[in-house]
Amino acid sequence: MIPKILHFIYVGGRPFSFIHFLAIYTAWKVNRPDVIYFHHTEEPTGAWWEKARPLVTLHRVEPVHEVHGNPVKYPAHMADVIRMAMLERFGGVYLDLDVISLNPLTPLLGQECVMGMEPGTGLCNAVILARPGAAFIRRWREEYRNFDSKRWNYHSVVLPWRLAQAHPDDIHVADKYAFFYPSHTDPVHGYLWGKHPSLWARATRLGKNLVKLGVHGMRDEIKLAYYRTFHALRGAEWHYRKASQSYCLHLWEGLWGEPYLQAVDPRYLREAPTHFARLMRKVLSEEELKAMALPGPMPA
């Protein structure tokens, strides 16, 4: 069994935000883990950290500047290396600090290792489930002997998909609706934020995708997940229901921060008619949303 241990990583370089608190709080509420490890090179500060701090067990880690002799230049790559080491050691569930939990991961805990599709790219490492010492994680870490920081997402997203194809018995690959729906490349993500892409825009995108699919004859499941976007023809409520069935929701902080996430606060979650606010009101009670707006820790 995959242990009920959650892992988050903070390597500095950004303030600890409401979204980060929300990721930790929803993970705690939805999954009721035995422990939440907060692996950090430096401890965050600020009001949202003060609310999150009672929920986690601090685990200080050293900054990673090289892996197998290859330089690690960016915080994102540092976090990539740390998460795999912690998963191989402890096992459990790793979640990025912009991943919001919606439904318990319990049905997946019988697997040895689980990752989800990021359509068109590979297996996104924002959510990883693994037993301690999982063969897939060991093999993936070994491949970092060839790490090159210039290949931004190769080792974190592209490579695990190639390893999954070569060693399918070592990993369960969850479909595109499990963890990363909607993706940042899918026009229907506008529904999350109260924007309604026109039927023409959605149908045009689908048409272009199908033409490309026919021309290239793609058989790769990740590519098929990107190009087979028949859900683009569905209405807004269908997309809300589909998202509500996901285990979690990745908020793609680096891409959605300025256009969407800056507006999100407890009042937004209580009052906004957007799909994201509605999803949060399914997970969080009115009392919890009110408590988030008050100073100090959340009530026990």
Side-chain angles (χ1 to χ4, degrees):
M1 289 287 291
I2 294 170
K4 294 185 70 174
I5 300 172
L6 301 185
H7 303 269
F8 291 93
I9 293 174
Y10 181 81
V11 294
R14 55 181 173 169
F16 190 89
S17 70
F18 176 62
I19 294 299
H20 302 155
F21 161 76
L22 198 62
I24 291 175
Y25 189 82
T26 57
W28 169 79
K29 179 175 183 181
V30 169
N31 290 292
R32 296 298 180 180
D34 296 328
V35 63
I36 301 177
Y37 284 123
F38 190 84
H39 310 285
H40 62 101
T41 57
E42 58 185 81
E43 186 174 346
T45 59
W48 294 117
W49 173 241
E50 292 305 313
K51 281 188 177 292
R53 174 65 184 84
L55 299 173
V56 304
T57 297
L58 291 179
H59 181 232
R60 186 171 181 84
V61 293
E62 292 300 315
V64 176
H65 299 298
E66 63 87 22
V67 55
H68 294 299
N70 303 306
V72 175
K73 300 178 180 179
Y74 305 107
H77 291 158
M78 185 187 300
D80 291 343
V81 174
I82 293 169
R83 77 190 65 180
M84 288 191 293
M86 295 304 104
L87 283 172
E88 184 172 1
R89 176 182 174 185
F90 296 107
V93 178
Y94 169 80
L95 300 170
D96 268 1
L97 278 168
D98 60 352
V99 171
I100 307 301
S101 297
L102 301 177
N103 291 293
L105 292 163
T106 307
L108 300 175
L109 297 183
Q111 303 288 342
E112 178 166 329
C113 187
V114 183
M115 293 182 72
M117 291 183 177
E118 181 181 337
T121 306
L123 302 183
C124 182
N125 70 345
V127 179
I128 311 171
L129 295 77
R131 298 181 185 181
F136 187 86
I137 300 297
R138 291 201 310 270
R139 187 174 286 111
W140 189 5
R141 292 186 72 194
E142 184 65 22
E143 290 291 330
Y144 268 69
R145 293 186 180 279
N146 302 312
F147 177 73
D148 181 354
S149 63
K150 295 178 183 177
R151 305 176 74 183
W152 179 254
N153 69 344
Y154 175 77
H155 275 81
S156 57
V157 180
V158 178
L159 176 61
W161 173 234
R162 294 185 177 180
L163 291 175
Q165 291 174 296
H167 306 279
D169 292 339
D170 290 347
I171 188 169
H172 170 73
V173 175
D175 69 21
K176 65 182 179 181
Y177 296 109
F179 306 141
F180 306 117
Y181 173 79
S183 76
H184 60 89
T185 59
D186 193 331
V188 303
H189 79 255
Y191 287 126
L192 271 180
W193 309 108
K195 301 179 183 298
H196 291 249
S198 70
L199 178 59
W200 172 253
R202 289 179 281 131
T204 300
R205 169 70 179 269
L206 174 59
K208 289 179 179 179
N209 284 351
L210 292 178
V211 169
K212 291 177 182 177
L213 190 61
V215 169
H216 298 293
M218 295 176 185
R219 295 183 177 86
D220 185 283
E221 289 182 56
I222 295 292
K223 297 294 184 184
L224 288 172
Y226 179 80
Y227 287 109
R228 283 180 176 170
T229 52
F230 296 105
H231 64 232
L233 302 180
R234 302 277 192 170
E237 282 303 303
W238 184 91
H239 289 282
Y240 170 76
R241 290 192 298 272
K242 197 68 176 177
S244 71
Q245 296 165 6
S246 297
Y247 291 106
C248 51
L249 176 62
H250 189 199
L251 296 183
W252 310 100
E253 184 180 17
L255 298 167
W256 288 356
E258 186 171 333
Y260 305 126
L261 302 185
Q262 287 183 356
V264 177
D265 59 16
R267 182 176 179 179
Y268 175 97
L269 298 187
R270 289 175 62 191
E271 299 178 0
T274 63
H275 283 190
F276 179 63
R278 290 173 61 194
L279 288 168
M280 289 298 90
R281 291 195 290 269
K282 281 192 67 175
V283 174
L284 304 169
S285 69
E286 179 69 13
E287 290 72 23
E288 287 171 308
L289 291 170
K290 288 179 178 177
M292 287 179 186
L294 299 175
M298 297 291 288

Short mmCIF file of all heavy atoms in Angstrom, two decimals, residues 170-219:
data_model
loop_
_atom_site.label_atom_id
_atom_site.label_comp_id
_atom_site.label_asym_id
_atom_site.label_seq_id
_atom_site.Cartn_x
_atom_site.Cartn_y
_atom_site.Cartn_z
N ASP A 170 5.34 -1.08 -13.69
CA ASP A 170 5.85 -0.36 -12.53
C ASP A 170 5.00 0.84 -12.13
O ASP A 170 5.24 1.45 -11.08
CB ASP A 170 7.28 0.14 -12.79
CG ASP A 170 8.29 -0.99 -12.84
OD1 ASP A 170 7.94 -2.11 -12.42
OD2 ASP A 170 9.42 -0.75 -13.30
N ILE A 171 4.02 1.21 -12.97
CA ILE A 171 3.28 2.44 -12.71
C ILE A 171 1.86 2.35 -13.26
O ILE A 171 1.63 1.74 -14.31
CB ILE A 171 4.01 3.66 -13.33
CG1 ILE A 171 3.34 4.97 -12.89
CG2 ILE A 171 4.14 3.54 -14.83
CD1 ILE A 171 4.14 6.22 -13.22
N HIS A 172 0.94 2.95 -12.54
CA HIS A 172 -0.42 3.14 -13.02
C HIS A 172 -0.53 4.57 -13.55
O HIS A 172 -0.25 5.52 -12.82
CB HIS A 172 -1.43 2.93 -11.89
CG HIS A 172 -2.83 3.33 -12.25
ND1 HIS A 172 -3.62 2.61 -13.12
CD2 HIS A 172 -3.57 4.40 -11.86
CE1 HIS A 172 -4.79 3.20 -13.25
NE2 HIS A 172 -4.79 4.29 -12.50
N VAL A 173 -0.91 4.71 -14.81
CA VAL A 173 -1.05 6.03 -15.43
C VAL A 173 -2.52 6.43 -15.40
O VAL A 173 -3.37 5.79 -16.02
CB VAL A 173 -0.52 6.03 -16.88
CG1 VAL A 173 -0.79 7.39 -17.53
CG2 VAL A 173 0.97 5.72 -16.90
N ALA A 174 -2.82 7.47 -14.63
CA ALA A 174 -4.19 7.97 -14.53
C ALA A 174 -4.50 8.85 -15.74
O ALA A 174 -3.61 9.53 -16.27
CB ALA A 174 -4.36 8.77 -13.24
N ASP A 175 -5.76 8.86 -16.16
CA ASP A 175 -6.11 9.60 -17.37
C ASP A 175 -6.11 11.11 -17.13
O ASP A 175 -5.86 11.60 -16.02
CB ASP A 175 -7.45 9.12 -17.94
CG ASP A 175 -8.66 9.50 -17.07
OD1 ASP A 175 -8.56 10.45 -16.26
OD2 ASP A 175 -9.71 8.86 -17.21
N LYS A 176 -6.39 11.85 -18.20
CA LYS A 176 -6.23 13.31 -18.15
C LYS A 176 -7.25 13.99 -17.24
O LYS A 176 -7.07 15.16 -16.91
CB LYS A 176 -6.33 13.90 -19.55
CG LYS A 176 -7.70 13.73 -20.23
CD LYS A 176 -7.67 14.32 -21.63
CE LYS A 176 -8.99 14.16 -22.36
NZ LYS A 176 -8.93 14.70 -23.73
N TYR A 177 -8.29 13.29 -16.84
CA TYR A 177 -9.30 13.88 -15.97
C TYR A 177 -9.00 13.66 -14.48
O TYR A 177 -9.69 14.21 -13.63
CB TYR A 177 -10.68 13.31 -16.29
CG TYR A 177 -11.17 13.64 -17.68
CD1 TYR A 177 -11.25 12.67 -18.66
CD2 TYR A 177 -11.53 14.94 -18.01
CE1 TYR A 177 -11.69 12.97 -19.94
CE2 TYR A 177 -11.98 15.25 -19.29
CZ TYR A 177 -12.05 14.26 -20.26
OH TYR A 177 -12.49 14.57 -21.51
N ALA A 178 -7.99 12.85 -14.16
CA ALA A 178 -7.76 12.47 -12.76
C ALA A 178 -7.17 13.61 -11.93
O ALA A 178 -7.65 13.90 -10.83
CB ALA A 178 -6.84 11.26 -12.70
N PHE A 179 -6.10 14.23 -12.45
CA PHE A 179 -5.37 15.24 -11.66
C PHE A 179 -5.25 16.60 -12.35
O PHE A 179 -5.10 17.60 -11.66
CB PHE A 179 -3.93 14.75 -11.39
CG PHE A 179 -3.81 13.41 -10.75
CD1 PHE A 179 -2.80 12.54 -11.13
CD2 PHE A 179 -4.68 13.01 -9.74
CE1 PHE A 179 -2.65 11.31 -10.53
CE2 PHE A 179 -4.54 11.77 -9.13
CZ PHE A 179 -3.53 10.91 -9.54
N PHE A 180 -5.25 16.62 -13.68
CA PHE A 180 -4.82 17.82 -14.39
C PHE A 180 -5.85 18.33 -15.40
O PHE A 180 -5.51 18.77 -16.49
CB PHE A 180 -3.48 17.55 -15.09
CG PHE A 180 -2.43 17.03 -14.16
CD1 PHE A 180 -1.89 15.77 -14.33
CD2 PHE A 180 -2.01 17.79 -13.09
CE1 PHE A 180 -0.93 15.28 -13.46
CE2 PHE A 180 -1.05 17.31 -12.21
CZ PHE A 180 -0.51 16.06 -12.40
N TYR A 181 -7.11 18.23 -14.99
CA TYR A 181 -8.18 18.72 -15.86
C TYR A 181 -8.85 19.93 -15.21
O TYR A 181 -9.20 19.87 -14.03
CB TYR A 181 -9.22 17.62 -16.10
CG TYR A 181 -10.43 18.13 -16.85
CD1 TYR A 181 -10.37 18.32 -18.23
CD2 TYR A 181 -11.60 18.47 -16.18
CE1 TYR A 181 -11.46 18.83 -18.91
CE2 TYR A 181 -12.69 18.97 -16.86
CZ TYR A 181 -12.61 19.14 -18.22
OH TYR A 181 -13.68 19.64 -18.90
N PRO A 182 -9.02 21.01 -15.97
CA PRO A 182 -8.54 21.21 -17.33
C PRO A 182 -7.08 21.65 -17.35
O PRO A 182 -6.61 22.30 -16.41
CB PRO A 182 -9.44 22.33 -17.85
CG PRO A 182 -9.75 23.14 -16.63
CD PRO A 182 -9.84 22.16 -15.49
N SER A 183 -6.38 21.30 -18.40
CA SER A 183 -4.99 21.72 -18.52
C SER A 183 -4.93 23.17 -18.98
O SER A 183 -5.91 23.73 -19.49
CB SER A 183 -4.25 20.83 -19.52
OG SER A 183 -4.61 21.16 -20.85
N HIS A 184 -3.77 23.76 -18.79
CA HIS A 184 -3.62 25.17 -19.17
C HIS A 184 -3.68 25.38 -20.67
O HIS A 184 -3.90 26.50 -21.14
CB HIS A 184 -2.29 25.71 -18.62
CG HIS A 184 -1.08 24.98 -19.13
ND1 HIS A 184 -0.43 25.35 -20.28
CD2 HIS A 184 -0.41 23.90 -18.66
CE1 HIS A 184 0.59 24.53 -20.50
NE2 HIS A 184 0.62 23.64 -19.52
N THR A 185 -3.50 24.31 -21.46
CA THR A 185 -3.56 24.43 -22.92
C THR A 185 -4.97 24.24 -23.47
O THR A 185 -5.19 24.46 -24.66
CB THR A 185 -2.63 23.40 -23.58
OG1 THR A 185 -3.04 22.08 -23.18
CG2 THR A 185 -1.19 23.63 -23.17
N ASP A 186 -5.90 23.82 -22.63
CA ASP A 186 -7.26 23.52 -23.08
C ASP A 186 -8.14 24.76 -22.93
O ASP A 186 -8.28 25.29 -21.83
CB ASP A 186 -7.83 22.38 -22.23
CG ASP A 186 -9.10 21.78 -22.81
OD1 ASP A 186 -9.83 22.50 -23.49
OD2 ASP A 186 -9.34 20.58 -22.56
N PRO A 187 -8.74 25.25 -24.02
CA PRO A 187 -9.57 26.47 -23.92
C PRO A 187 -10.69 26.37 -22.89
O PRO A 187 -11.11 27.40 -22.35
CB PRO A 187 -10.13 26.63 -25.33
CG PRO A 187 -9.18 25.91 -26.22
CD PRO A 187 -8.66 24.76 -25.41
N VAL A 188 -11.16 25.16 -22.58
CA VAL A 188 -12.27 25.04 -21.63
C VAL A 188 -11.86 25.41 -20.21
O VAL A 188 -12.71 25.51 -19.33
CB VAL A 188 -12.89 23.62 -21.65
CG1 VAL A 188 -13.37 23.27 -23.05
CG2 VAL A 188 -11.93 22.57 -21.12
N HIS A 189 -10.56 25.65 -19.98
CA HIS A 189 -10.16 26.07 -18.63
C HIS A 189 -10.80 27.41 -18.26
O HIS A 189 -10.92 27.74 -17.09
CB HIS A 189 -8.63 26.14 -18.48
CG HIS A 189 -8.00 27.37 -19.05
ND1 HIS A 189 -7.30 27.38 -20.23
CD2 HIS A 189 -7.96 28.66 -18.59
CE1 HIS A 189 -6.84 28.60 -20.47
NE2 HIS A 189 -7.23 29.39 -19.50
N GLY A 190 -11.25 28.17 -19.26
CA GLY A 190 -11.93 29.43 -18.98
C GLY A 190 -13.16 29.26 -18.12
O GLY A 190 -13.51 30.16 -17.34
N TYR A 191 -13.81 28.11 -18.23
CA TYR A 191 -15.01 27.87 -17.42
C TYR A 191 -14.71 27.95 -15.92
O TYR A 191 -15.55 28.36 -15.13
CB TYR A 191 -15.60 26.50 -17.74
CG TYR A 191 -16.31 26.42 -19.07
CD1 TYR A 191 -15.95 25.45 -20.00
CD2 TYR A 191 -17.33 27.30 -19.41
CE1 TYR A 191 -16.60 25.35 -21.22
CE2 TYR A 191 -17.99 27.20 -20.63
CZ TYR A 191 -17.61 26.23 -21.53
OH TYR A 191 -18.25 26.14 -22.74
N LEU A 192 -13.49 27.53 -15.54
CA LEU A 192 -13.12 27.57 -14.13
C LEU A 192 -13.22 28.99 -13.57
O LEU A 192 -13.50 29.19 -12.40
CB LEU A 192 -11.68 27.09 -13.94
CG LEU A 192 -11.41 25.61 -13.71
CD1 LEU A 192 -9.92 25.41 -13.56
CD2 LEU A 192 -12.15 25.08 -12.50
N TRP A 193 -12.95 29.97 -14.43
CA TRP A 193 -12.77 31.34 -13.97
C TRP A 193 -13.86 32.28 -14.46
O TRP A 193 -13.68 33.49 -14.50
CB TRP A 193 -11.38 31.83 -14.42
CG TRP A 193 -10.33 30.85 -14.02
CD1 TRP A 193 -9.64 30.01 -14.84
CD2 TRP A 193 -9.89 30.56 -12.69
NE1 TRP A 193 -8.79 29.23 -14.11
CE2 TRP A 193 -8.92 29.54 -12.79
CE3 TRP A 193 -10.22 31.07 -11.43
CZ2 TRP A 193 -8.28 29.01 -11.67
CZ3 TRP A 193 -9.58 30.54 -10.32
CH2 TRP A 193 -8.63 29.53 -10.44
N GLY A 194 -15.00 31.72 -14.87
CA GLY A 194 -16.14 32.55 -15.27
C GLY A 194 -16.07 33.06 -16.68
O GLY A 194 -16.85 33.94 -17.06
N LYS A 195 -15.16 32.52 -17.47
CA LYS A 195 -15.06 32.90 -18.88
C LYS A 195 -15.62 31.77 -19.72
O LYS A 195 -15.29 30.60 -19.49
CB LYS A 195 -13.61 33.19 -19.26
CG LYS A 195 -12.99 34.31 -18.43
CD LYS A 195 -11.55 34.55 -18.84
CE LYS A 195 -10.90 35.61 -17.96
NZ LYS A 195 -11.57 36.92 -18.08
N HIS A 196 -16.45 32.10 -20.68
CA HIS A 196 -17.12 31.08 -21.49
C HIS A 196 -16.63 31.15 -22.93
O HIS A 196 -17.09 32.00 -23.70
CB HIS A 196 -18.64 31.26 -21.43
CG HIS A 196 -19.22 30.94 -20.10
ND1 HIS A 196 -20.02 29.84 -19.88
CD2 HIS A 196 -19.09 31.52 -18.89
CE1 HIS A 196 -20.37 29.78 -18.61
NE2 HIS A 196 -19.81 30.81 -17.99
N PRO A 197 -15.69 30.28 -23.30
CA PRO A 197 -15.23 30.27 -24.70
C PRO A 197 -16.38 29.95 -25.63
O PRO A 197 -17.22 29.09 -25.33
CB PRO A 197 -14.16 29.17 -24.71
CG PRO A 197 -14.46 28.32 -23.52
CD PRO A 197 -15.06 29.23 -22.50
N SER A 198 -16.44 30.64 -26.74
CA SER A 198 -17.56 30.47 -27.67
C SER A 198 -17.54 29.07 -28.28
O SER A 198 -16.49 28.42 -28.36
CB SER A 198 -17.48 31.50 -28.79
OG SER A 198 -16.39 31.24 -29.65
N LEU A 199 -18.72 28.60 -28.70
CA LEU A 199 -18.82 27.30 -29.35
C LEU A 199 -17.95 27.29 -30.61
O LEU A 199 -17.30 26.28 -30.91
CB LEU A 199 -20.28 27.00 -29.70
CG LEU A 199 -20.52 25.68 -30.45
CD1 LEU A 199 -20.02 24.50 -29.63
CD2 LEU A 199 -22.00 25.53 -30.80
N TRP A 200 -17.91 28.42 -31.31
CA TRP A 200 -17.11 28.49 -32.52
C TRP A 200 -15.63 28.27 -32.19
O TRP A 200 -14.95 27.50 -32.87
CB TRP A 200 -17.30 29.84 -33.20
CG TRP A 200 -16.36 30.06 -34.36
CD1 TRP A 200 -15.28 30.89 -34.41
CD2 TRP A 200 -16.41 29.42 -35.64
NE1 TRP A 200 -14.65 30.81 -35.62
CE2 TRP A 200 -15.33 29.91 -36.40
CE3 TRP A 200 -17.26 28.46 -36.21
CZ2 TRP A 200 -15.09 29.49 -37.71
CZ3 TRP A 200 -17.00 28.05 -37.51
CH2 TRP A 200 -15.94 28.56 -38.24
N ALA A 201 -15.15 28.93 -31.16
CA ALA A 201 -13.74 28.78 -30.78
C ALA A 201 -13.43 27.35 -30.37
O ALA A 201 -12.40 26.78 -30.75
CB ALA A 201 -13.40 29.75 -29.66
N ARG A 202 -14.33 26.74 -29.61
CA ARG A 202 -14.11 25.37 -29.15
C ARG A 202 -14.16 24.38 -30.30
O ARG A 202 -13.34 23.47 -30.41
CB ARG A 202 -15.13 25.02 -28.07
CG ARG A 202 -14.89 25.76 -26.75
CD ARG A 202 -15.94 25.41 -25.71
NE ARG A 202 -17.19 26.12 -25.93
CZ ARG A 202 -18.38 25.56 -25.93
NH1 ARG A 202 -18.53 24.27 -25.75
NH2 ARG A 202 -19.48 26.29 -26.10
N ALA A 203 -15.16 24.56 -31.19
CA ALA A 203 -15.30 23.66 -32.33
C ALA A 203 -14.14 23.80 -33.30
O ALA A 203 -13.65 22.81 -33.86
CB ALA A 203 -16.63 23.93 -33.04
N THR A 204 -13.67 25.04 -33.49
CA THR A 204 -12.53 25.27 -34.38
C THR A 204 -11.29 24.58 -33.85
O THR A 204 -10.54 23.95 -34.60
CB THR A 204 -12.28 26.78 -34.53
OG1 THR A 204 -13.43 27.41 -35.08
CG2 THR A 204 -11.08 27.05 -35.43
N ARG A 205 -11.05 24.70 -32.55
CA ARG A 205 -9.90 24.04 -31.95
C ARG A 205 -9.99 22.53 -32.12
O ARG A 205 -9.01 21.87 -32.48
CB ARG A 205 -9.83 24.41 -30.47
CG ARG A 205 -8.84 23.61 -29.62
CD ARG A 205 -7.40 23.93 -29.96
NE ARG A 205 -6.49 23.18 -29.12
CZ ARG A 205 -6.01 23.60 -27.96
NH1 ARG A 205 -6.35 24.79 -27.51
NH2 ARG A 205 -5.18 22.85 -27.26
N LEU A 206 -11.17 21.97 -31.88
CA LEU A 206 -11.36 20.53 -32.03
C LEU A 206 -11.10 20.12 -33.48
O LEU A 206 -10.43 19.12 -33.74
CB LEU A 206 -12.76 20.12 -31.60
CG LEU A 206 -13.15 18.66 -31.84
CD1 LEU A 206 -12.20 17.72 -31.10
CD2 LEU A 206 -14.59 18.41 -31.42
N GLY A 207 -11.64 20.89 -34.42
CA GLY A 207 -11.45 20.56 -35.83
C GLY A 207 -9.99 20.54 -36.23
O GLY A 207 -9.52 19.61 -36.92
N LYS A 208 -9.25 21.55 -35.80
CA LYS A 208 -7.82 21.59 -36.11
C LYS A 208 -7.09 20.41 -35.50
O LYS A 208 -6.20 19.82 -36.12
CB LYS A 208 -7.22 22.91 -35.60
CG LYS A 208 -7.66 24.13 -36.38
CD LYS A 208 -7.04 25.40 -35.79
CE LYS A 208 -7.46 26.63 -36.59
NZ LYS A 208 -6.89 27.88 -36.01
N ASN A 209 -7.47 20.06 -34.27
CA ASN A 209 -6.83 18.93 -33.60
C ASN A 209 -7.07 17.62 -34.35
O ASN A 209 -6.17 16.80 -34.51
CB ASN A 209 -7.35 18.80 -32.17
CG ASN A 209 -6.75 19.84 -31.24
OD1 ASN A 209 -5.83 20.55 -31.60
ND2 ASN A 209 -7.29 19.92 -30.05
N LEU A 210 -8.30 17.43 -34.82
CA LEU A 210 -8.62 16.19 -35.52
C LEU A 210 -7.91 16.11 -36.87
O LEU A 210 -7.49 15.02 -37.29
CB LEU A 210 -10.14 16.08 -35.71
CG LEU A 210 -10.94 15.87 -34.42
CD1 LEU A 210 -12.43 15.83 -34.73
CD2 LEU A 210 -10.51 14.60 -33.70
N VAL A 211 -7.75 17.25 -37.53
CA VAL A 211 -7.00 17.26 -38.79
C VAL A 211 -5.55 16.85 -38.53
O VAL A 211 -4.98 16.01 -39.25
CB VAL A 211 -7.06 18.66 -39.44
CG1 VAL A 211 -6.05 18.75 -40.59
CG2 VAL A 211 -8.46 18.93 -39.96
N LYS A 212 -4.95 17.42 -37.49
CA LYS A 212 -3.56 17.07 -37.15
C LYS A 212 -3.46 15.60 -36.80
O LYS A 212 -2.50 14.92 -37.17
CB LYS A 212 -3.07 17.93 -35.99
CG LYS A 212 -2.89 19.40 -36.34
CD LYS A 212 -2.46 20.20 -35.12
CE LYS A 212 -2.31 21.67 -35.47
NZ LYS A 212 -1.96 22.48 -34.27
N LEU A 213 -4.45 15.11 -36.07
CA LEU A 213 -4.45 13.71 -35.68
C LEU A 213 -4.51 12.81 -36.91
O LEU A 213 -3.81 11.80 -37.00
CB LEU A 213 -5.66 13.44 -34.77
CG LEU A 213 -5.72 12.09 -34.06
CD1 LEU A 213 -4.52 11.91 -33.14
CD2 LEU A 213 -7.02 11.99 -33.27
N GLY A 214 -5.35 13.19 -37.89
CA GLY A 214 -5.46 12.40 -39.11
C GLY A 214 -4.21 12.44 -39.95
O GLY A 214 -3.80 11.43 -40.53
N VAL A 215 -3.57 13.59 -40.01
CA VAL A 215 -2.37 13.75 -40.83
C VAL A 215 -1.20 12.96 -40.25
O VAL A 215 -0.48 12.26 -40.96
CB VAL A 215 -1.99 15.24 -40.97
CG1 VAL A 215 -0.60 15.39 -41.59
CG2 VAL A 215 -3.03 15.97 -41.81
N HIS A 216 -1.03 13.07 -38.93
CA HIS A 216 0.14 12.46 -38.31
C HIS A 216 -0.10 11.02 -37.87
O HIS A 216 0.86 10.29 -37.60
CB HIS A 216 0.58 13.29 -37.10
CG HIS A 216 1.00 14.69 -37.46
ND1 HIS A 216 2.12 14.95 -38.21
CD2 HIS A 216 0.42 15.89 -37.21
CE1 HIS A 216 2.25 16.26 -38.39
NE2 HIS A 216 1.22 16.85 -37.79
N GLY A 217 -1.36 10.62 -37.77
CA GLY A 217 -1.66 9.25 -37.37
C GLY A 217 -1.07 8.87 -36.02
O GLY A 217 -0.47 7.81 -35.85
N MET A 218 -1.22 9.74 -35.06
CA MET A 218 -0.57 9.54 -33.76
C MET A 218 -1.17 8.36 -33.00
O MET A 218 -2.38 8.21 -32.94
CB MET A 218 -0.70 10.82 -32.93
CG MET A 218 0.04 11.99 -33.52
SD MET A 218 -0.24 13.50 -32.57
CE MET A 218 0.61 14.69 -33.61
N ARG A 219 -0.30 7.57 -32.40
CA ARG A 219 -0.73 6.45 -31.58
C ARG A 219 -0.37 6.65 -30.11
O ARG A 219 -0.81 5.89 -29.26
CB ARG A 219 -0.12 5.15 -32.10
CG ARG A 219 -0.61 4.76 -33.50
CD ARG A 219 -0.03 3.43 -33.92
NE ARG A 219 -0.54 3.02 -35.21
CZ ARG A 219 -0.03 3.38 -36.37
NH1 ARG A 219 1.04 4.17 -36.40
NH2 ARG A 219 -0.55 2.96 -37.51
#
